[in-house]
Structure formats: structure tokens, C-alpha cells
Amino acid sequence: MTQLQSSALARVKPSATLAVTARARELKREGRDVIGLGAGEPDFDTPENVKQAAIAAIQRGETKYTDVDGLPELKAAIVAKFARENGLSYETNQIHVAPGGKAVLYNALVATLSPGDEVIVPAPYWVSYPDMVLLAGGEPVMVVGHEADGFKLRPEALEAAITPRTKWLILNSPSNPTGAAYTGPELEALAEVVRRHPQVWVMTDDMYEHLIYGDFAYLTFAQVAPDLIGRTLTVNGVSKAYAMTGWRIGYAGGPKALIDLMRKVAGQTTSNPSSISQWAAVEALNGPQDFIAERARAFEARRDLVVSMLNQATGIRCPNPEGAFYVYPSIEGLIGRTAPDGTVIDGDDAFVAALLDAEGVAVVQGSAFGLSPYFRISYATSEDVLEEGCRRIQRFCGSLR
């Protein structure tokens, strides 16, 4: 009997974050009291003006196919957003819209990677980056950003990882899973390396751009290195800042030649994103923006709560992130200890499984993001839930011997 699964798909793993969320839902259906801290999804509702724009679009009959990679009106709104918030100048023919940021990234990789091409993926990384590279026929090259460096890629590490086969560097700031964000000088140091290697393009995932805390000043790569905008794809979307995860609208600005290739991929795969979602995104980008800062302050309070409580847990060390809605605590101090049921905590996989069994708290193991022994918590939920979840984690850690 012939093998059903393709050789390309055989190279990849299912999403660990989606798997944790699915497992938590399954346990809830079985009657377990489960606190899910795995999903990276804001608990806020989509703004009312955005929902009303979608309803109005339906009533106008805006329910037909659109241009493959986005409505002209949405592309114009994206051009205005990049100019207003990032100081980046694009034309509408340099904009790509797809069903979610994930589709934008994938379209770019499929459009540009040939067998043997390498993509530098700083670790800890979002779980989908390496597998999307593999599906597109490339080879992910993981380069660790250590906790001592704020989980960020050092320029000397980037330099050492580049080869003649390097095609892309992926930068995610603020980061999923660590919440780490790059400063202007840190981005400029990386740009200096990229300038020396004309075959290297930069893909920036800015999805958490508006979730920045304290007095941190957010900058994107092309803003810091405008001379490299011709080799940069600046990726963003409406999912996180506008609480529109299910609407599935991601977008990017980049050189026209690259955007043309990405459109070619979309034309033979998804075709256009939902017309209704696109009109909602037009309103999101053009409409009132004041609620974003208000929600960011709520996330910042949640971050402070979680970081404080986790640092009071036995054996856990939790760095304070600059942005996003994740923390990435270390369990180095718990390795080798034993849970009451006899489970030996020999790594973050064992810790996560034992925590779910003992206390009904679902988090994601650091091994899924390429750096152990850590785990990821999403604090995109209410303070009451977070406080109870952290209290259970404290109790679990205190029970280890």
C-alpha cells in the first residue's frame, strides 16, 4: 500500500500550542476544572465599530470575490497605517493581504524558497516558523537567543549562522513566546550584519506591535534600516491589536517583485481573504485607535501580576517581558524533583504534563519553542483566572520533592 502522507508533510510536527488548547478543551468536556493558559488569543471582544462595518458590508452585498491579495480600500488603509505608525512608505502594489498573518508568512516562504535554501529562525521561536520553512522546501537554522541576552538574537550569532544558502532571517518583536522586543540599537546591530550579506532578506513579524509596556519605544526593522527596505517584508495583521483572531486578516508591505510572487501563490491556493473580514479590517485600521492603548494597559497589569506570582513559586524564575501577552519562565530550579504521583521532572515536557494532571493548568512546554527548560504562559485572560492559575502553579511547585 502506498504511503498517504507526502514527504513534505512528514517533515513537520502538529502545532504544540493548538494541541495544548485542544487537550484543555477535552479535559473540560470530561468535567475537569481546567485553566487554559496556552492559547495566544486576546479575551477582549472585537470593537463594536468594526463589527458594524462588517454588517454594513453584508447589507451592501459585498459578498463576492475580491482581488486575490486584498481590496484596494484595504490596501490603501494599510499603506496609511504603515506611514502613520511606522514611518514606512509603500504603494498599494507593495501590499499583500491574506487569510491571517500565518498565510502571509507562508506565501512569502513558498514564493521564494528552493530546496536547500536556509532560513534563520531565532529561538525561542513561534512554533510555526520552522515547520512552515520545511513545508516550503527550505531548511530552518535555529539560533538561540539566551535568557541572559533577553532571549534576543545577538549580531555575532547571526553572523556565524549566515551561509551562502541563507535566504531569510525571521524577526518577531515583540516575541511569541517570550514577549521580548528589540530596541532600535539592537535592530541596527542586526542590520549591520545583514548589509554585509546581500543574499539575505528579512521577514519581520510585527503582530504584537501595539502590545508594548512601560516606556519601551517600538520600532520595526525597516524603520531602523530604511536602506534595507528593498530586502524586507514587514508583516502585521489585525488579530491581536484589534481582537480579530477569527476574522483572519494578515498583511505585509514589501518590494513589488516579492509581492507579485506572493500574489501568484495566493492565486493558486486560498484566493482572496473573506470579503466581509476585509471591510471590517478597513474600519479597524481607519477607525478610532484609542482603545488599543487602554487594552495594552490592561495587559500590562496582567503581566505584572503573573511575573510577580511566578517569581514567588518554588524553583521558577520569570523574566519581565517588554511586550506581547506571554511570559517564558525557567524551571531550571525544578529539574530532578519528583511530583507527588512519582513523576520525575526531567524537563519542561514532564513539568507541563504533570502540572496539567495535578492542578488542571494548561501551559506550553519550552521544547515546542526551541529552548528548554522553560514554559510559556499566555496572560490574555482575566486577572481572576490568572491569579488562580498562578496560585495552582505555586502549589504544584511547592509539592515537588
Side-chain angles (χ1 to χ4, degrees), residues 149-225:
D149 296 316
F151 297 117
K152 289 178 272 193
L153 178 65
R154 298 285 303 164
E156 57 269 26
L158 172 60
E159 183 74 63
I162 292 174
T163 75
R165 295 161 63 183
T166 304
K167 192 68 166 280
W168 286 101
L169 161 66
I170 297 178
L171 286 178
N172 177 208
S173 174
S175 159
N176 175 4
T178 66
Y182 288 86
T183 65
E186 288 168 339
L187 289 173
E188 175 55 35
L190 296 177
E192 271 301 304
V193 177
V194 173
R195 289 186 182 101
R196 293 194 288 271
H197 301 276
Q199 84 279 16
V200 178
W201 287 59
V202 180
M203 186 182 299
T204 73
D205 183 347
D206 299 348
M207 195 63 70
Y208 298 92
E209 167 189 13
H210 290 294
L211 299 178
I212 287 288
Y213 310 126
D215 57 359
F216 190 93
Y218 178 81
L219 294 166
T220 191
F221 183 83
Q223 195 173 2
V224 172

Side-chain angles (χ1 to χ4, degrees), residues 2-230:
T2 58
Q3 181 176 329
L4 179 62
Q5 179 174 247
S6 71
S7 57
L9 191 59
R11 302 175 77 195
V12 310
K13 305 178 294 296
S15 166
T17 51
L18 294 180
V20 166
T21 303
R23 176 60 177 154
R25 286 175 180 159
E26 181 183 338
L27 290 173
K28 283 184 179 180
R29 285 194 296 268
E30 294 173 0
R32 285 285 305 275
D33 176 19
V34 175
I35 293 178
L37 302 178
E41 182 171 49
D43 59 324
F44 294 110
D45 194 13
T46 302
E48 186 62 27
N49 63 305
V50 175
K51 291 191 284 187
Q52 290 303 318
I55 292 169
I58 294 171
Q59 292 172 337
R60 289 196 311 270
E62 305 279 8
T63 56
K64 309 298 184 184
Y65 293 130
T66 72
D67 292 346
V68 165
D69 63 346
L71 287 162
E73 292 86 349
L74 179 52
K75 289 189 175 188
I78 293 165
V79 167
K81 178 266 183 244
F82 277 133
R84 178 179 71 241
E85 298 181 352
N86 307 113
L88 299 178
S89 178
Y90 292 110
E91 302 293 331
T92 54
N93 63 8
Q94 295 178 288
I95 301 297
H96 181 82
V97 184
K102 203 177 241 185
V104 175
L105 298 165
Y106 186 67
N107 288 350
L109 293 169
V110 169
T112 58
L113 292 180
S114 298
D117 284 347
E118 296 172 350
V119 177
I120 294 174
V121 181
Y125 46 72
W126 179 44
V127 295
S128 293
Y129 294 142
D131 290 311
M132 284 196 288
V133 171
L134 290 168
L135 274 173
E139 299 297 331
V141 176
M142 281 59 142
V143 183
V144 172
H146 295 282
E147 183 183 342
D149 296 316
F151 297 117
K152 289 178 272 193
L153 178 65
R154 298 285 303 164
E156 57 269 26
L158 172 60
E159 183 74 63
I162 292 174
T163 75
R165 295 161 63 183
T166 304
K167 192 68 166 280
W168 286 101
L169 161 66
I170 297 178
L171 286 178
N172 177 208
S173 174
S175 159
N176 175 4
T178 66
Y182 288 86
T183 65
E186 288 168 339
L187 289 173
E188 175 55 35
L190 296 177
E192 271 301 304
V193 177
V194 173
R195 289 186 182 101
R196 293 194 288 271
H197 301 276
Q199 84 279 16
V200 178
W201 287 59
V202 180
M203 186 182 299
T204 73
D205 183 347
D206 299 348
M207 195 63 70
Y208 298 92
E209 167 189 13
H210 290 294
L211 299 178
I212 287 288
Y213 310 126
D215 57 359
F216 190 93
Y218 178 81
L219 294 166
T220 191
F221 183 83
Q223 195 173 2
V224 172
D227 58 306
L228 294 174
I229 196 169

